[in-house]
Structure formats: C-alpha cells, structure tokens
Amino acid sequence: MRRHPRRDTGPELALRRRLHAAGYRYRVVYPVPGYPRRSIDIAFTRAKVAVFVDGCFWHGCSTHRQVPATNTAWWAEKLSANRARDEGTTAHLMELGWTVLRFWEHTAPDDAFAAITHALGTSLPAQRQSAERSDPPNLVE
C-alpha cells in the first residue's frame, strides 16, 4: 500500500498552499489531545479548528472506494475500523471544544478553503483584529 501516501498528499498540499497564500498560519500533523497516535492534518490551535483531508481509499469514500481484490474480508474490516476511528476522533475533538472539518481528497481545494475560512471567521475574530492592529499607527506631528 505504498502507493497511498499517509501524509503530504497532493490534495493536502494544495489546500495548505491555498491557506498559506491567504495568510493563515497553522500546524501540520498536530497530535490529537489525549490520543498520541492520532494527528490532525491541519490544525488552527488558537481557534481550535481541526481540518482533516481524508483519502478515499483509507477512509472509505462511498464514491471512489475500491476494496482490494485480494484478502477482501481483511480489508473490509480494516477500512471499517478506520471509519470508526475517524468518528471517535471527531467526537473526542468536539468534546474538547474543537470545530472539526473533514474533506475528501476529491473535494475541490477552493471549496475546502471557503469552509475553513468560514469556520475561522466565526471562531477567531480576535486573531484578525490583532492582525489589523499590527499595522503601524499613523503619526501626525
């Protein structure tokens, strides 16, 4: 399964480039609090917004799902366990006050970007205000 990368996939990189170009700063592969073996793909820690870009294969996308032809029963159980783990991670983060956004790898980066900026806009007005305040004041003599 080396053909399916675990991180820094093309869709993740496209979304991260879009966010970075817009001036957003974030953490990559940020550990899920309380679950040291799980990580958030893109984390806005101050706003507590967690973004996951789920691959169609590993997370069982209903549109693009392909179960391998060999060892089918094992793969079905494995992919089902992955989906259950995703649901557990989402529920855990929401209990901790995080906003969780999950996108499929086939989601257009612009659509994901719009959803993220909307979530950040409603949950992080202080960061934007502080960015506006960082402009040097006009000094009049």
Side-chain angles (χ1 to χ4, degrees):
M1 294 280 89
R2 289 182 181 176
R3 292 183 295 164
H4 298 279
R6 297 185 64 191
R7 59 175 286 196
D8 296 335
T9 61
E12 282 182 35
L13 292 176
L15 181 57
R16 287 178 2 208
R17 283 187 194 114
R18 182 88 163 85
L19 289 165
H20 194 271
Y24 289 98
R25 298 300 178 255
Y26 47 82
R27 301 281 180 116
V28 177
V29 192
Y30 187 77
V32 173
Y35 291 132
R37 293 188 57 152
R38 299 180 190 180
S39 61
I40 301 167
D41 293 337
I42 302 169
F44 298 90
T45 55
R46 289 185 190 163
K48 286 192 166 188
V49 174
V51 178
F52 294 91
V53 180
D54 293 339
C56 291
F57 176 79
W58 290 111
H59 299 272
C61 170
S62 60
T63 306
H64 301 105
R65 177 179 30 201
Q66 291 181 339
V67 178
T70 59
N71 214 1
T72 306
W74 184 86
W75 278 110
E77 183 178 332
K78 167 69 177 160
L79 298 177
S80 176
N82 287 352
R83 285 190 296 274
R85 185 187 63 229
D86 291 345
E87 291 172 7
T89 300
T90 298
H92 176 71
L93 286 170
M94 291 177 75
E95 285 176 11
L96 295 176
W98 285 71
T99 300
V100 179
L101 301 173
R102 288 192 172 272
F103 303 100
W104 290 112
E105 67 178 349
H106 60 262
T107 303
D110 288 341
D111 295 343
F113 176 79
I116 293 167
T117 55
H118 177 73
L120 291 172
T122 58
S123 64
L124 191 59
Q127 183 181 22
R128 289 192 175 170
Q129 290 173 357
S130 67
E132 292 172 2
R133 277 187 263 140
S134 66
D135 293 329
N138 292 331
L139 298 176
V140 178
E141 294 183 23

